[in-house]
Amino acid sequence: MRSRPIGHTSVSAIGLGAMPLSIEHRPDEQQAIATIHAALDAGVTLIDTADSYHWHADETGHNELLIARALARYGGDISHLLVATKGGRGRPGDGSWTVTGAPAHLKRAAEGSLKRLGVEAIGLYQLHKPDPAVPWADSVGALRELLDAGTIRSAGISNVTTAQIREAHAVLGDGLVSVQNQYSPAVRDSEPELRLSTQLGLAFLPWSPLGGISRSSLDGASRPTAVSTAFHRIAARHGVSPQQIALAWLLTRSPAVIPVPGASRPASIQDSAKAAELELSLAEQTELEDALPS
């Protein structure tokens, strides 16, 4: 698979978003592990997780532990794999999500993730969401301390503004390697953050990258997806899925973009991974962009 950089690390141009394997409506463990193994077999070398990717209140780190078990059972080479995890959010078990950006909490959370993943240092640790009750500089400072302590090798930030990216970059320097915001054909509010990430040499990891094409794990049952768009029409011409077209389009937006589509079945991530090799013509890119909602 084609690769793209996250800091000094080269990863597959398409990653695996592992959240659907652990939250509501998750598959059984056999299918979940098969999905992770299918991603690795397809050449995926970036897996995105978080300590808050779980369902019930008493299972913090469910997704991290699942990934660790899947990797332990995988018979292939995982020496180039980057597991990126996040801290700063929680799930009390009622379906809601909390935010906690206090430095002490983030440092404890990183230590917990380190143990669950069973690694000497976390390859990429991302602050999951800014906490409005905590000064941004304090939360970012915790990432700086984790970098200095060697607990994490690189840092990222998620759900952020351009001002927050600039402030974090000033504090973390080369230690900051990624920004993870929602971005998809349906949700493009983070265009400024994408442009700034590209300028600063930061990887931009769109979460829920198939919005408008497929329903996200976070979408409610009442939120429909489109059934006939330019993505579907071009997919028919290529003989591929509209999800592949959407991911290939995202890759054209910037060399910084590394989508991390979620998957709960082996076939889903196998299909997504093929988007890294799919070439869209300039005419097709224009057709897609002209059809996007303003």
Side-chain angles (χ1 to χ4, degrees), residues 186-206:
V187 180
R188 301 186 311 285
D189 297 343
S190 283
E191 288 280 2
E193 289 75 25
L194 170 56
R195 288 194 296 270
L196 179 58
S197 297
T198 304
Q199 292 167 11
L200 295 176
L202 306 175
F204 187 87
L205 315 179

Side-chain angles (χ1 to χ4, degrees), residues 92-150:
D94 60 0
S96 66
W97 297 74
T98 60
V99 182
T100 308
H105 171 82
L106 293 174
K107 287 184 278 189
R108 285 195 305 271
E111 291 289 350
S113 293
L114 183 76
K115 292 176 183 177
R116 287 188 290 270
L117 291 171
V119 294
E120 294 182 0
I122 297 171
L124 172 57
Y125 191 71
Q126 303 170 95
L127 178 56
H128 207 152
K129 188 175 184 178
D131 184 346
V134 177
W136 179 238
D138 292 354
S139 297
V140 173
L143 296 181
R144 177 75 267 170
E145 291 183 37
L146 289 167
L147 284 166
D148 293 342

Side-chain angles (χ1 to χ4, degrees), residues 203-219:
F204 187 87
L205 315 179
W207 62 264
S208 196
L210 296 174
I213 306 299
S214 296
R215 182 173 289 111
S216 165
S217 297
L218 294 175
D219 288 339

Side-chain angles (χ1 to χ4, degrees), residues 137 140-144 147 165-174 176:
V140 173
L143 296 181
R144 177 75 267 170
L147 284 166
I165 294 172
R166 292 187 187 280
E167 187 172 353
H169 189 255
V171 173
L172 300 172
D174 291 343
L176 179 66

Side-chain angles (χ1 to χ4, degrees), residues 16-24 26-29 32-33 35-36 46-56 58-71 83-86 91 97 112-113 116-118 128 217 262-264:
L16 168 65
M19 182 178 71
L21 302 175
S22 290
I23 64 167
E24 293 86 334
R26 64 194 181 200
D28 61 34
E29 180 154 321
I33 289 178
T35 301
I36 295 170
L46 171 65
I47 298 178
D48 179 73
T49 182
D51 62 359
S52 58
Y53 289 170
H54 59 91
W55 184 353
H56 306 293
D58 61 350
E59 54 180 21
T60 297
H62 181 281
N63 200 242
E64 294 170 326
L65 290 168
L66 173 68
I67 289 168
R69 290 193 295 273
L71 297 182
V83 177
T85 192
K86 296 182 284 293
R91 301 209 72 199
W97 297 74
S113 293
R116 287 188 290 270
L117 291 171
H128 207 152
S217 297
S264 58

Side-chain angles (χ1 to χ4, degrees), residues 175-190:
L176 179 66
V177 299
S178 66
V179 170
Q180 187 167 16
N181 279 14
Q182 185 176 17
Y183 189 83
S184 69
V187 180
R188 301 186 311 285
D189 297 343
S190 283

